[in-house]
Amino acid sequence: MPSYTLGKAPRGRFRWVLLVLPLVLVGLVVWGSLRRGPAPGIVIESARPAVGTATKIVARFSEPVGGLGRISLELSQGERTVRLAEQRFERAGAFSPTRGRFTANAELAATVGRSAQDWLKEGEVVLRATAERMAGPLRSRAPVVVEKRMTVRLRPPHLELLSKQHYVRQGGSGVAVLRIGESAVRSGVRAGAVESLSFVLPGGAPGERFVLFAIPWELSDGDQVRLFAEDDAGNRVEMPFVNLFKPSPPRTDRLELSESFLAKVVPAIASQTPGFDASGSLLDQYLRINGDVRRATLATIAELSADTQPTFLWRNAFAQMPNTQRRAGFAENRTYLYQGKVVDHQTHLGLDLASTEHAPVPAANAGRVVFAGWLAIYGNAVIIDHGYGLMSLYGHMASLSVKAGDVVSKGQQIGNSGSTGLAGGDHLHLEIFVQGKSVDPLEWLDEHWIRDNIATKVKVP
Ligand SMILES: [Zn+2]
């Protein structure tokens, strides 16, 4: 006869399981609702170190274990407190498709400053970010609070012009000497959208600085050339200082692109440009080189401009390569034609100097090599830093005889001329940069211009 145990109490070793199991389940539920993990993380970030007209604030919250409940961001000054932003999160219900989900990370953003809170006074403010965990039946809701103290500054820094007689040309360079207040963190010259930053004036009193500035070749409005100073709250003062602005509109030139020229320059540049899109016709590729690659190269040069020494490495006028004829000049708007049709427009921003093939190329002035190598449209190129943001570039060379880091004297050979990069024939492309912006090299080749415009304002050793 079979024996049935159904309906009878479990025997022996299985009995304890049924007794303990409910206790374990209750324990898990209690642990689950009490478990908190680490306290919610809060970071308050500000776009500027201080508060002025408008400083963007972002508070980032995280609670990866139980989820965020309520988060808020407040601003206090003195007795006054305002809520800048707040958000509440609900846990999705048991029957929701997203059941059990919670919010682990969130952020609150706000603008702090006189534009948003016109009652703010100079002094200190407190930013207070609060995070509560997701509420549970047994869970503590003790919030976590993080504060950030910031200084409020409402007046722009002091700015005073010390130099006189500023005669500048469109596409040219200049120097201004200024005195700034202690709160200034940035100062210099703004010319249109281009800013040239100041340096400590050698031998000057505290707060005295000077700026070697660029006037962009594309800027024809002299009113757009201003001295400026800014503090860490973004308060900014600008003042006009130019006595005479000489417009110098770009000249124009037309260039016929021949099949043989494209066949010479395109494959050489395409093969040495990582990631270059070599699809389409030679003309398609040429247009990408003349456009995208040119822009990327100028961006590289602008980055290199940070690698400048705060000292005068140059002396006297820059020297033109000997026995050369000036061909193309600075700021020539070139119209490119292919089979009689206009296919492109670009601006030539250097001085083309032609001599004999593979002629020795001397450094135009003393300095330190910051780049020597392949530089896309410039072919084999050398860039020399002359200090205080002034740099010279030598392009299209056949060979280079210096490397980055070398200190060179005026006239020292840095390579031989050639026709590498976007060059039709053997010549040197000489380009001068002030803080990464191309300026007219002719001024720097002219000792009278240097004496009247630079040496009368700052003492170049
Ligand atoms: Zn050129």
Side-chain angles (χ1 to χ4, degrees):
M1 239 182 108
S3 82
Y4 295 97
T5 54
L6 199 72
K8 289 184 182 174
R11 277 176 298 173
R13 58 199 170 119
F14 294 109
R15 186 178 293 171
W16 69 268
V17 173
L18 289 191
L19 288 171
V20 170
L21 198 60
L23 291 175
V24 170
L25 289 174
V26 168
L28 278 173
V29 168
V30 171
W31 176 79
S33 49
L34 287 177
R35 141 191 108 102
R36 303 166 49 152
I42 306 177
V43 178
I44 304 176
E45 290 169 3
S46 59
R48 297 179 184 282
V51 171
T53 306
T55 296
K56 288 237 178 304
I57 306 288
V58 177
R60 293 179 213 286
F61 302 84
S62 67
E63 214 292 33
V65 178
L68 292 164
R70 188 188 72 95
I71 56 175
S72 70
L73 180 62
E74 290 175 338
L75 171 72
S76 295
Q77 188 176 47
E79 300 296 300
R80 193 161 182 173
T81 295
V82 291
R83 180 160 298 158
L84 299 170
E86 185 184 31
Q87 206 174 346
R88 286 168 199 277
F89 301 98
E90 306 290 336
R91 189 188 291 276
F95 299 102
S96 151
T98 57
R99 123 179 80 99
R101 296 245 178 102
F102 58 77
T103 304
N105 297 291
E107 58 181 56
L108 294 176
T111 297
V112 172
R114 273 301 269 270
S115 66
Q117 298 89 23
D118 60 2
W119 44 272
L120 283 177
K121 294 179 175 64
E122 292 210 318
E124 193 184 66
V125 284
V126 179
L127 287 154
R128 193 173 300 106
T130 307
E132 286 167 12
R133 291 185 179 82
M134 178 63 72
L138 297 167
R139 196 180 292 149
S140 157
R141 296 189 57 175
V144 171
V145 179
V146 166
E147 289 186 348
K148 182 182 173 76
R149 281 161 203 281
M150 294 183 75
T151 301
V152 179
R153 261 191 276 278
L154 301 173
R155 282 165 299 184
H158 174 78
L159 172 64
E160 194 182 336
L161 176 67
L162 301 179
S163 50
K164 292 188 187 78
Q165 294 181 318
H166 304 92
Y167 307 129
V168 297
R169 261 188 61 231
Q170 181 175 354
S173 309
V175 159
V177 183
L178 52 150
R179 185 183 290 130
I180 55 170
E182 269 177 23
S183 67
V185 292
R186 282 177 90 244
S187 61
V189 167
R190 176 182 70 80
V194 172
E195 284 185 351
S196 305
L197 300 178
S198 70
F199 291 87
V200 170
L201 179 70
E208 288 184 2
R209 301 178 71 87
F210 84 103
V211 50
L212 169 60
F213 59 87
I215 308 282
W217 59 269
E218 56 281 53
L219 183 80
S220 56
D221 180 4
D223 291 341
Q224 284 300 304
V225 185
R226 303 285 179 108
L227 213 59
F228 78 89
E230 207 177 271
D231 68 13
D232 61 356
N235 297 302
R236 185 177 168 108
V237 57
E238 287 198 353
M239 62 161 79
F241 72 101
V242 167
N243 306 91
L244 188 74
F245 181 90
K246 213 171 156 193
S248 178
R251 278 155 298 182
T252 54
D253 194 11
R254 288 163 84 83
L255 244 87
E256 183 70 42
L257 297 171
S258 69
E259 209 61 50
S260 61
F261 172 72
L262 296 183
K264 173 197 167 289
V265 299
V266 168
I269 296 177
S271 65
Q272 297 205 56
T273 305
F276 182 74
D277 172 11
S279 64
S281 67
L282 274 182
L283 178 66
D284 292 339
Q285 295 180 52
Y286 176 81
L287 294 176
R288 281 197 283 275
I289 290 169
N290 211 22
D292 297 347
V293 175
R294 178 185 295 270
R295 272 187 295 280
T297 310
L298 289 174
T300 302
I301 293 169
E303 277 171 35
L304 282 168
S305 73
D307 191 12
T308 190
Q309 311 259 312
T311 179
F312 288 106
L313 298 172
W314 60 281
R315 304 281 181 275
N316 308 315
F318 283 58
Q320 182 175 328
M321 182 176 161
N323 308 315
T324 51
Q325 292 187 333
R326 292 176 188 172
R327 296 283 164 80
F330 176 76
E332 278 186 8
N333 277 343
R334 288 179 170 171
T335 297
Y336 295 79
L337 297 121
Y338 180 71
Q339 294 175 352
K341 269 190 271 179
V342 172
V343 291
D344 205 3
H345 297 277
Q346 297 294 339
T347 305
H348 183 256
L349 295 170
L351 191 60
D352 286 352
L353 300 167
S355 171
T356 50
E357 255 184 50
H358 295 183
V361 174
N365 215 320
R368 188 179 125 265
V369 176
V370 292
F371 180 89
W374 179 261
L375 193 58
I377 61 164
Y378 294 104
N380 293 318
V382 171
I383 301 178
I384 299 175
D385 172 41
H386 304 287
Y388 293 122
L390 180 64
M391 294 191 182
S392 55
L393 177 151
Y394 310 78
H396 308 316
M397 294 209 274
S399 59
L400 307 179
S401 47
V402 289
K403 58 185 191 308
D406 286 358
V407 172
V408 292
S409 53
K410 185 174 174 175
Q412 181 182 331
Q413 187 178 345
I414 56 170
N416 291 85
S417 70
S419 58
T420 54
L422 278 191
D426 191 301
H427 74 279
L428 173 72
H429 173 97
L430 173 68
E431 194 160 338
I432 305 280
F433 295 91
V434 170
Q435 298 194 15
K437 186 73 191 168
S438 299
V439 293
D440 192 346
L442 291 182
E443 290 183 338
W444 293 96
L445 296 176
D446 177 356
E447 63 178 299
H448 297 290
W449 179 85
I450 287 177
R451 193 189 56 209
D452 296 346
N453 295 280
I454 310 290
T456 54
K457 296 181 176 64
V458 286
K459 201 166 168 281
V460 182

